[in-house]
Amino acid sequence: MELPDTQSTLPEVRINLTRVGVKNVKKLVEVARPGKRPVIFISSFDVFVDLPSSLKGANMSRNFEVIDEVLQQAVQGKVNGIEDVCNSVARKLLDHHEYSDRTEVRMNSTYMMRRQTPVSGTECDEVVKVVASAIAQRNKSNPIVRKSIGAEVTGITACPCAQNIMKEVAASKLRDLNIPEEKIAEFLRDVPMATHNQRGEGFLCIETDDDQCVNLEDIIAILKDSMSAKIYELLKRGDESYVVLNAHKNARFVEDCVREMAKRVVNDFSFLPGDSLIRIRQTNKESIHQHDAYAERKATIAELRAELQETS
């Protein structure tokens, strides 16, 4: 008995639909790495296709089949890292949905990184949020694919404003104790003053054409290095001293973090074409205020290059 294909019938209201698909598809993504342990991501997928007015519905089960097919290829090392999972799915969706001209895939993942503390070398885990997406547009020959990869990382920031106030307080007290000015300057140069801290959440996402390679680890490194200091789940006393001292030696506003990210993106991804889209944001959760500090920038890498050249 041949079962009816209701999705292929004419709809009562005949209009095109921009996005039809499934959201919040939970998957465990395992990506093989040559000579290393595979990387595991706990992921949620949103998958969409466009639908012409001549069809009542899209074949939803094909979306699940494509995701599973690509994830199996990732396990086998046929997908070049988490960066290429979404664009591989987007391409294959066009093959499975012959009636669609456009496909879109979004992925939100949790990534557990194994790290060592800076002094004692104690091992601990760190959670990183990873986002990726891809849009594939049908073309006469190969599809046109635009993809993005990004991450959100937590670190610590120290406020430069309060630190400079405390620096003046300390200098005044040392003068009252008849300490020579050169000794005061030497002390304040070597011992950073107290200030209030924030837990910072940095986000960086890079959108490129399909033929460009943007490494997730490089994005994470930029985020970590753009705040006052890195943080760790477990700290021995020597590690704690190291983190606190370095954070206060590298005091940064929320604006400083975003600008530092932009500079590092331009330097570390100099090979990217000018139309690559860069999205940067930083949220600092204040310790002495009830609000959060926030800054962001969205620009092409060509625009960032031009601005940095003007000020160099």
Side-chain angles (χ1 to χ4, degrees):
M1 181 179 64
E2 185 176 349
L3 299 176
D5 183 6
T6 307
Q7 286 95 334
S8 298
T9 61
L10 287 172
E12 293 181 12
V13 180
R14 297 190 60 178
I15 62 170
N16 299 324
L17 299 180
T18 308
R19 288 191 184 96
V20 174
V22 292
K23 297 183 69 173
N24 203 28
V25 180
K26 303 291 186 183
K27 291 289 181 180
L28 196 65
V29 180
E30 181 178 336
V31 180
R33 296 185 298 174
K36 297 181 181 179
R37 294 174 57 185
V39 181
I40 306 297
F41 297 83
I42 302 172
S43 303
S44 173
F45 287 89
D46 296 340
V47 180
F48 308 107
V49 300
D50 65 329
L51 190 69
S53 61
S54 58
L55 293 177
K56 187 176 182 66
N59 193 322
M60 300 290 190
S61 63
R62 296 178 185 177
N63 298 343
F64 296 91
E65 292 168 357
V66 169
I67 293 173
D68 287 338
E69 181 182 343
V70 171
L71 296 186
Q72 183 60 37
Q73 291 176 340
V75 172
Q76 296 169 351
K78 297 178 181 179
V79 174
N80 297 322
I82 195 70
E83 300 87 354
D84 286 331
V85 168
C86 284
N87 54 306
S88 294
V89 172
R91 283 178 174 274
K92 288 183 180 295
L93 284 170
L94 285 177
D95 296 334
H96 287 69
H97 294 276
E98 65 283 351
Y99 45 79
S100 296
D101 291 323
R102 182 183 183 277
T103 64
E104 183 175 349
V105 183
R106 305 172 189 161
M107 182 185 72
N108 289 278
S109 300
T110 301
Y111 174 33
M112 296 292 291
M113 297 180 65
R114 195 70 175 160
R115 301 179 59 204
Q116 287 189 334
T117 57
V119 177
S120 67
T122 303
E123 289 199 344
C124 58
D125 291 320
E126 179 180 1
V127 177
V128 174
K129 296 178 182 178
V130 177
V131 296
S133 68
I135 295 175
Q137 189 76 37
R138 197 180 296 279
N139 198 22
K140 290 181 179 179
S141 52
N142 291 324
I144 300 171
V145 181
R146 192 79 172 169
K147 65 180 182 180
S148 71
I149 181 72
E152 181 179 280
V153 170
T154 304
I156 183 175
T157 56
C159 176
C161 180
Q163 188 177 59
N164 283 329
I165 293 171
M166 295 305 297
K167 185 176 180 179
E168 287 303 314
V169 171
S172 177
K173 180 63 178 178
L174 290 170
R175 291 187 190 102
D176 291 343
L177 296 172
N178 296 318
I179 306 297
E181 286 295 329
E182 63 272 14
K183 292 294 184 181
I184 293 175
E186 182 182 350
F187 174 80
L188 294 176
R189 193 166 50 244
D190 294 338
V191 181
M193 291 295 97
T195 187
H196 66 98
N197 305 129
Q198 304 90 18
R199 178 178 289 181
E201 294 176 350
F203 175 83
L204 168 60
C205 186
I206 301 177
E207 179 186 308
T208 65
D209 290 330
D210 192 30
D211 59 349
Q212 299 297 319
C213 180
V214 175
N215 187 279
L216 175 62
E217 299 290 345
D218 293 338
I219 287 178
I220 293 173
I222 287 174
L223 287 165
K224 289 178 177 295
D225 292 337
S226 297
M227 289 181 253
S228 295
K230 303 171 186 176
I231 62 173
Y232 303 83
E233 185 65 20
L234 176 62
L235 293 171
K236 301 294 186 181
R237 278 175 291 186
D239 299 312
E240 189 169 351
S241 172
Y242 179 92
V243 170
V244 172
L245 183 63
N246 277 275
H248 286 74
K249 281 185 173 181
N250 191 31
R252 282 178 175 165
F253 288 126
V254 67
E255 299 94 333
D256 296 323
C257 297
V258 169
R259 288 171 171 144
E260 182 66 20
M261 283 184 230
K263 183 183 76 173
R264 290 177 180 270
V265 166
V266 170
N267 291 337
D268 295 356
F269 293 101
S270 58
F271 58 89
L272 289 178
D275 66 345
S276 301
L277 185 63
I278 313 300
R279 289 189 289 268
I280 305 168
R281 65 173 182 259
Q282 176 80 17
T283 303
N284 287 350
K285 299 183 180 298
E286 294 281 9
S287 58
I288 64 170
H289 307 293
Q290 295 188 56
H291 58 262
D292 298 334
Y294 181 82
E296 70 172 57
R297 180 62 196 272
K298 179 180 178 182
T300 65
I301 198 167
E303 292 170 334
L304 294 178
R305 284 174 186 150
E307 288 183 42
L308 289 169
Q309 286 174 355
E310 288 176 2
T311 58
S312 61

Coordinates of all heavy atoms in Angstrom, one line a residue, residues 227-271:
M227 N 41.0 40.3 27.9 CA 40.5 40.8 29.2 C 41.7 41.0 30.1 O 42.8 40.8 29.7 CB 39.5 39.8 29.8 CG 38.2 39.8 29.1 SD 36.9 38.7 29.7 CE 36.9 37.4 28.4
S228 N 41.5 41.4 31.4 CA 42.6 41.7 32.3 C 43.4 40.4 32.6 O 44.6 40.5 32.7 CB 42.1 42.4 33.6 OG 41.5 43.6 33.3
A229 N 42.7 39.3 32.8 CA 43.3 38.1 33.1 C 42.4 36.9 32.9 O 41.2 37.1 32.8 CB 43.8 38.0 34.6
K230 N 43.0 35.7 32.7 CA 42.2 34.5 32.5 C 41.8 34.0 33.9 O 42.4 34.3 34.9 CB 43.0 33.4 31.8 CG 43.6 33.8 30.5 CD 44.6 32.8 30.0 CE 45.2 33.3 28.7 NZ 46.3 32.4 28.2
I231 N 40.7 33.3 34.0 CA 40.2 32.7 35.2 C 40.2 31.2 35.1 O 40.2 30.6 34.0 CB 38.9 33.2 35.6 CG1 37.8 32.8 34.6 CG2 38.9 34.7 35.8 CD1 36.4 33.2 35.0
Y232 N 40.2 30.5 36.3 CA 40.3 29.1 36.4 C 39.3 28.5 37.4 O 39.1 29.2 38.4 CB 41.7 28.6 36.7 CG 42.8 29.1 35.8 CD1 43.3 30.4 35.9 CD2 43.3 28.4 34.7 CE1 44.3 30.9 35.0 CE2 44.2 28.9 33.8 CZ 44.7 30.1 34.0 OH 45.7 30.6 33.1
E233 N 38.8 27.3 37.2 CA 37.9 26.8 38.1 C 38.5 26.4 39.4 O 37.9 26.5 40.5 CB 37.2 25.5 37.5 CG 36.1 24.8 38.3 CD 34.9 25.7 38.4 OE1 34.7 26.7 37.6 OE2 34.1 25.5 39.4
L234 N 39.8 26.0 39.4 CA 40.5 25.6 40.6 C 41.8 26.3 40.7 O 42.6 26.3 39.7 CB 40.7 24.1 40.6 CG 41.5 23.4 41.7 CD1 40.8 23.6 43.1 CD2 41.8 22.0 41.5
L235 N 42.1 26.9 41.8 CA 43.3 27.7 42.0 C 44.0 27.3 43.3 O 43.4 27.4 44.4 CB 43.1 29.2 42.0 CG 42.6 29.8 40.7 CD1 42.1 31.3 40.9 CD2 43.7 29.8 39.6
K236 N 45.3 27.0 43.3 CA 46.1 26.9 44.5 C 46.5 28.3 44.8 O 46.4 29.3 44.1 CB 47.3 26.0 44.2 CG 47.0 24.6 43.8 CD 46.3 23.8 44.9 CE 46.1 22.4 44.5 NZ 45.4 21.6 45.5
R237 N 47.2 28.5 46.0 CA 47.5 29.8 46.5 C 48.4 30.6 45.5 O 48.2 31.8 45.3 CB 48.1 29.8 47.9 CG 47.1 29.7 49.0 CD 47.7 29.5 50.3 NE 48.3 28.1 50.5 CZ 48.9 27.7 51.6 NH1 48.9 28.4 52.7 NH2 49.4 26.5 51.6
G238 N 49.4 29.9 45.0 CA 50.3 30.5 44.0 C 49.6 30.9 42.8 O 49.9 32.0 42.2
D239 N 48.7 30.1 42.3 CA 47.9 30.4 41.1 C 47.0 31.7 41.4 O 46.9 32.6 40.5 CB 47.0 29.3 40.7 CG 47.7 28.0 40.4 OD1 48.7 28.1 39.6 OD2 47.4 26.9 40.9
E240 N 46.4 31.7 42.6 CA 45.5 32.8 42.9 C 46.2 34.1 42.9 O 45.8 35.1 42.4 CB 44.8 32.5 44.3 CG 43.7 33.5 44.6 CD 42.9 33.1 45.8 OE1 43.1 32.0 46.3 OE2 42.1 33.9 46.3
S241 N 47.4 34.1 43.5 CA 48.3 35.3 43.6 C 48.6 35.8 42.2 O 48.6 37.0 41.9 CB 49.5 35.0 44.4 OG 50.5 36.1 44.3
Y242 N 48.9 34.8 41.3 CA 49.3 35.1 39.9 C 48.2 35.8 39.2 O 48.3 36.8 38.5 CB 49.8 33.8 39.2 CG 50.2 34.0 37.8 CD1 51.5 34.2 37.4 CD2 49.2 33.9 36.8 CE1 51.8 34.4 36.1 CE2 49.6 34.1 35.4 CZ 50.9 34.3 35.1 OH 51.2 34.4 33.8
V243 N 47.0 35.2 39.3 CA 45.8 35.7 38.6 C 45.4 37.1 39.0 O 45.2 38.0 38.2 CB 44.6 34.8 38.7 CG1 43.3 35.4 38.2 CG2 44.9 33.4 38.0
V244 N 45.4 37.3 40.4 CA 45.0 38.6 40.9 C 46.0 39.7 40.5 O 45.7 40.8 40.1 CB 44.8 38.5 42.4 CG1 44.6 39.9 43.0 CG2 43.7 37.6 42.8
L245 N 47.3 39.4 40.7 CA 48.4 40.3 40.4 C 48.3 40.7 38.9 O 48.4 41.9 38.5 CB 49.7 39.8 40.7 CG 50.9 40.7 40.5 CD1 50.8 41.9 41.4 CD2 52.2 40.0 40.8
N246 N 48.2 39.7 38.0 CA 48.2 40.0 36.6 C 46.9 40.8 36.2 O 47.0 41.7 35.3 CB 48.3 38.7 35.8 CG 49.7 38.3 35.6 OD1 50.5 38.7 34.7 ND2 50.2 37.4 36.5
A247 N 45.8 40.5 36.8 CA 44.6 41.3 36.5 C 44.7 42.7 36.8 O 44.3 43.6 36.1 CB 43.4 40.7 37.2
H248 N 45.4 43.0 38.0 CA 45.5 44.4 38.4 C 46.6 45.1 37.7 O 46.7 46.3 37.6 CB 45.7 44.5 39.9 CG 44.4 44.2 40.7 ND1 43.9 42.9 40.8 CD2 43.6 45.0 41.3 CE1 42.8 43.0 41.5 NE2 42.6 44.3 41.8
K249 N 47.6 44.4 37.1 CA 48.6 45.0 36.3 C 48.1 45.3 34.9 O 48.7 46.0 34.1 CB 49.8 44.0 36.2 CG 50.7 44.0 37.4 CD 52.0 43.1 37.1 CE 53.0 43.2 38.2 NZ 54.2 42.4 37.9
N250 N 46.9 44.8 34.6 CA 46.4 44.9 33.2 C 44.9 45.4 33.3 O 44.0 44.8 32.7 CB 46.5 43.5 32.5 CG 46.2 43.6 31.0 OD1 46.5 44.6 30.4 ND2 45.6 42.5 30.5
A251 N 44.7 46.4 34.0 CA 43.4 47.0 34.2 C 42.8 47.4 32.9 O 43.4 48.1 32.1 CB 43.4 48.1 35.2
R252 N 41.5 47.1 32.6 CA 40.9 47.4 31.4 C 39.4 47.7 31.6 O 38.7 47.0 32.3 CB 41.0 46.2 30.4 CG 42.4 46.2 29.7 CD 42.5 45.0 28.8 NE 43.8 45.1 28.1 CZ 44.3 44.1 27.4 NH1 43.6 42.9 27.3 NH2 45.5 44.2 26.8
F253 N 38.9 48.8 30.9 CA 37.5 49.0 30.8 C 36.9 48.0 29.8 O 37.5 47.4 29.1 CB 37.3 50.5 30.2 CG 37.6 51.6 31.2 CD1 38.5 52.6 30.8 CD2 37.0 51.6 32.5 CE1 38.8 53.6 31.7 CE2 37.3 52.7 33.3 CZ 38.2 53.7 32.9
V254 N 35.5 48.0 29.9 CA 34.8 47.1 28.9 C 35.1 47.5 27.5 O 35.2 46.7 26.6 CB 33.3 47.1 29.2 CG1 32.7 48.5 29.0 CG2 32.5 46.1 28.5
E255 N 35.3 48.9 27.3 CA 35.6 49.4 25.9 C 37.0 48.9 25.5 O 37.2 48.6 24.3 CB 35.6 50.9 25.9 CG 34.2 51.5 26.3 CD 34.1 51.8 27.8 OE1 34.8 51.2 28.6 OE2 33.3 52.7 28.1
D256 N 37.9 48.8 26.4 CA 39.3 48.4 26.1 C 39.3 46.9 25.6 O 40.0 46.6 24.7 CB 40.2 48.5 27.4 CG 40.4 49.9 27.8 OD1 40.5 50.8 27.0 OD2 40.5 50.1 29.0
C257 N 38.4 46.1 26.2 CA 38.4 44.7 25.9 C 37.9 44.5 24.4 O 38.5 43.7 23.7 CB 37.4 43.9 26.8 SG 37.9 43.9 28.5
V258 N 36.9 45.3 24.0 CA 36.4 45.2 22.7 C 37.4 45.7 21.7 O 37.6 45.1 20.6 CB 35.0 46.0 22.5 CG1 34.6 46.1 21.1 CG2 33.9 45.2 23.3
R259 N 38.1 46.8 22.0 CA 39.1 47.3 21.1 C 40.3 46.4 21.0 O 40.9 46.2 19.9 CB 39.5 48.7 21.6 CG 38.4 49.8 21.3 CD 38.8 51.1 22.0 NE 37.8 52.1 21.5 CZ 37.4 53.1 22.3 NH1 37.8 53.1 23.6 NH2 36.5 54.0 21.9
E260 N 40.6 45.7 22.1 CA 41.7 44.8 22.0 C 41.4 43.6 21.2 O 42.2 43.1 20.4 CB 42.1 44.3 23.5 CG 43.3 43.4 23.6 CD 44.6 44.0 23.2 OE1 44.7 45.3 23.2 OE2 45.5 43.2 22.8
M261 N 40.2 43.1 21.3 CA 39.7 42.0 20.4 C 39.8 42.4 19.0 O 40.3 41.6 18.2 CB 38.2 41.6 20.8 CG 38.0 40.8 22.0 SD 36.3 40.4 22.2 CE 35.9 40.9 23.8
A262 N 39.3 43.6 18.6 CA 39.3 44.0 17.2 C 40.8 44.0 16.7 O 41.1 43.6 15.6 CB 38.7 45.4 17.1
K263 N 41.7 44.6 17.5 CA 43.1 44.6 17.1 C 43.7 43.2 16.9 O 44.4 43.0 15.9 CB 43.9 45.4 18.1 CG 45.4 45.6 17.7 CD 46.2 46.3 18.8 CE 46.5 45.3 19.9 NZ 47.4 45.9 21.0
R264 N 43.4 42.3 17.8 CA 43.9 41.0 17.6 C 43.3 40.2 16.5 O 44.0 39.4 15.8 CB 43.7 40.2 18.9 CG 44.6 40.7 20.1 CD 44.2 40.0 21.4 NE 45.1 40.4 22.5 CZ 46.2 39.9 22.8 NH1 46.7 38.9 22.1 NH2 46.9 40.4 23.8
V265 N 42.0 40.5 16.2 CA 41.4 39.8 15.0 C 42.1 40.3 13.7 O 42.4 39.5 12.9 CB 39.9 40.2 15.0 CG1 39.3 39.8 13.6 CG2 39.1 39.4 16.0
V266 N 42.3 41.6 13.6 CA 43.0 42.1 12.4 C 44.4 41.5 12.3 O 44.8 41.2 11.2 CB 43.1 43.6 12.5 CG1 44.0 44.2 11.4 CG2 41.7 44.2 12.3
N267 N 45.1 41.4 13.4 CA 46.5 40.8 13.3 C 46.5 39.3 13.1 O 47.3 38.8 12.3 CB 47.2 41.1 14.6 CG 47.5 42.6 14.8 OD1 47.6 43.3 13.8 ND2 47.7 43.1 16.0
D268 N 45.6 38.6 13.8 CA 45.7 37.1 13.8 C 45.0 36.5 12.6 O 45.3 35.4 12.1 CB 45.1 36.5 15.0 CG 45.9 36.8 16.3 OD1 47.0 37.5 16.1 OD2 45.5 36.5 17.4
F269 N 44.0 37.3 12.0 CA 43.3 36.8 10.8 C 43.5 37.7 9.6 O 42.6 38.1 8.9 CB 41.8 36.7 11.1 CG 41.4 35.7 12.1 CD1 41.2 36.0 13.5 CD2 41.4 34.3 11.8 CE1 40.9 35.1 14.4 CE2 41.1 33.4 12.7 CZ 40.8 33.7 14.0
S270 N 44.8 38.1 9.4 CA 45.1 39.0 8.3 C 44.9 38.4 7.0 O 44.8 39.1 6.0 CB 46.6 39.4 8.4 OG 47.4 38.2 8.4
F271 N 44.7 37.1 6.9 CA 44.5 36.4 5.6 C 43.0 36.5 5.2 O 42.7 36.2 4.0 CB 44.9 34.9 5.7 CG 44.1 34.2 6.8 CD1 42.9 33.6 6.6 CD2 44.7 34.1 8.1 CE1 42.2 32.9 7.5 CE2 44.0 33.4 9.1 CZ 42.8 32.8 8.8

